Amino acid sequence: MAKIEKVELRMVDLVPKVKRTDAIQSFVSQETPIVTITDSDGASGTGYSYTIGTGGSSVMRLLADHLAPRLIGRDVDQIEAIWHDLEFATHATTIGAITAIALAAIDTALWDLRARKQSLPLWKLAGGAKDRCPLYTTEGGWLHIETAALVEDALAAKAKGFTGSKVKIGKPHGSQDVARLSAVRKAVGDGYEIMTDCNQGFSVDEAIRRAERLRELDLAWIEEPLPADDIDGHVRLSKSTATPIAVGESLYSIRHFREYMQKGGCNIVQVDVGRIGGITPWLKVAHAAEAFNMPVCPHFLMELHVSLVCAIQNGKYVEYIPQLDELTGDKMRIENGHALAPSEPGIGIDWDWDAVKARSIAEFTTAIVK
């Protein structure tokens, strides 16, 4: 029975390759906490999570002061027990982003360690439903991008075999969103999906109004139209439109997802490893969604989510937003618009440790040992 002997903490701050804007914010920095766990057999696993520019220092202090020390001496195979013990130890700060981001980095490291020791890729260890999954792209659909560029990017993605393109919406007037999306639909035709993302930017009445104006464009979904904690508002919106409603990017508990599914507040589940607190709760949400006959199309983290979408039967899409190129060797493999499940043991991230160490912020680099 191997025990945890060492926990190494690092944080890297990454600048997005392209300008990223949506209805409520501009995404200019990606703080990336990285946790490496080593056991008494000498095996190690690495996990990570992310912020969109704020809170990284708080995540690292929570890890260093409260969570990582509790890992020393624990049985590495008791991932479920460890997750619940850490959640209970931080019950005064859950449910919320800071704790979830910290838990996610630890939990993912433990799954990586388990998969490596069993010589299995994560997608097989966690279920093994399929060895590839369709991609849709978001990188060319940000809110500031002009209509002609939206069209050009969507056509390029379609030519590569991508399933669809996501376009951010939330312009000052609904007619502007309609014009942008109509131009894309006209260019790509009816056989290509158009996803939209509101980033929690609307009131219920405005969301209903805009959904009605967009109805004829046959959108794949409208994502995060309202504040994420407004479940009743999402129920009202879902009942008013035939366009699927997608949520999950900003939900931090399996119970939040349960309420959305039970009440009919969503049609598509976008559970995010980094926001839900790791692979352990991610799988629970994904399997619950299958019980409701809902597809899982996770938000962001494509390098990790490809394995999880391939692990489950109801995994539908992976969102193409390159995140880790500056920190990894081999990249996510793409073939005819599909992401291929990694074949190597572990979570499928080929860390370039020289690059990670060179870009690590010194004040957050910590090693906690037995």
Side-chain angles (χ1 to χ4, degrees), residues 180-250:
R180 285 157 57 85
L181 291 166
S182 296
V184 176
R185 174 57 76 205
K186 181 178 179 180
V188 300
D190 293 333
Y192 186 77
E193 298 286 13
I194 301 175
M195 296 77 172
T196 63
D197 189 353
C198 316
N199 293 99
Q200 306 182 72
F202 298 140
S203 66
V204 179
D205 289 338
E206 183 64 19
I208 291 173
R209 180 186 181 204
R210 296 206 184 198
E212 176 61 23
R213 296 192 67 172
L214 297 170
R215 180 171 57 86
E216 297 301 324
L217 296 177
D218 189 28
L219 302 176
W221 67 65
I222 297 174
E223 180 178 332
E224 284 202 320
L226 313 172
D229 55 1
D230 185 3
I231 298 176
D232 290 341
H234 281 87
V235 171
R236 182 181 162 201
L237 172 61
S238 293
K239 290 180 178 179
S240 75
T241 180
T243 303
I245 303 300
V247 301
E249 170 184 344
S250 302

Side-chain angles (χ1 to χ4, degrees), residues 1-178:
M1 181 176 65
K3 302 291 186 68
I4 297 173
E5 289 194 340
K6 184 179 181 180
V7 182
E8 297 172 88
L9 308 175
R10 295 183 177 89
M11 187 169 74
V12 174
D13 196 3
L14 299 175
V15 177
K17 289 185 176 183
V18 302
K19 181 180 179 182
R20 297 173 178 170
T21 59
D22 59 41
I24 62 171
Q25 64 202 346
S26 181
F27 182 176
V28 297
S29 173
Q30 179 187 297
E31 299 167 308
T32 307
I34 300 172
V35 174
T36 299
I37 295 174
T38 302
D39 70 13
S40 54
D41 290 337
S44 64
T46 297
Y48 70 107
S49 53
Y50 72 100
T51 78
I52 58 171
T54 58
S57 58
S58 299
V59 172
M60 298 308 294
R61 290 268 36 111
L62 182 62
L63 284 165
D65 295 345
H66 302 287
L67 298 181
R70 294 176 181 270
L71 296 173
I72 301 301
R74 296 297 300 264
D75 179 348
V76 294
D77 288 323
Q78 291 191 292
I79 296 177
E80 180 83 16
I82 289 171
W83 194 93
H84 281 280
D85 288 347
L86 294 182
E87 185 194 36
F88 182 78
T90 55
H91 70 277
T93 60
T94 53
I95 301 166
I98 298 299
T99 300
I101 291 168
L103 287 173
I106 289 174
D107 188 71
T108 304
L110 288 170
W111 276 90
D112 187 45
L113 178 53
R114 172 182 282 179
R116 289 174 182 273
K117 294 190 76 168
Q118 295 188 23
S119 298
L120 286 173
L122 174 65
W123 72 274
K124 287 187 176 181
L125 181 66
K130 48 190 174 288
D131 65 2
R132 65 193 60 206
C133 53
L135 288 166
Y136 74 90
T137 181
T138 294
E139 279 294 73
W142 302 99
L143 195 62
H144 69 279
I145 296 175
E146 297 296 329
T147 301
L150 293 178
V151 170
E152 182 181 356
D153 185 82
L155 287 172
K158 182 180 179 182
K160 294 176 183 176
F162 279 56
T163 302
S165 294
K166 181 188 286 182
V167 177
K168 299 286 184 174
I169 63 176
K171 288 290 188 179
H173 196 273
S175 61
Q176 296 169 278
D177 288 332
V178 172

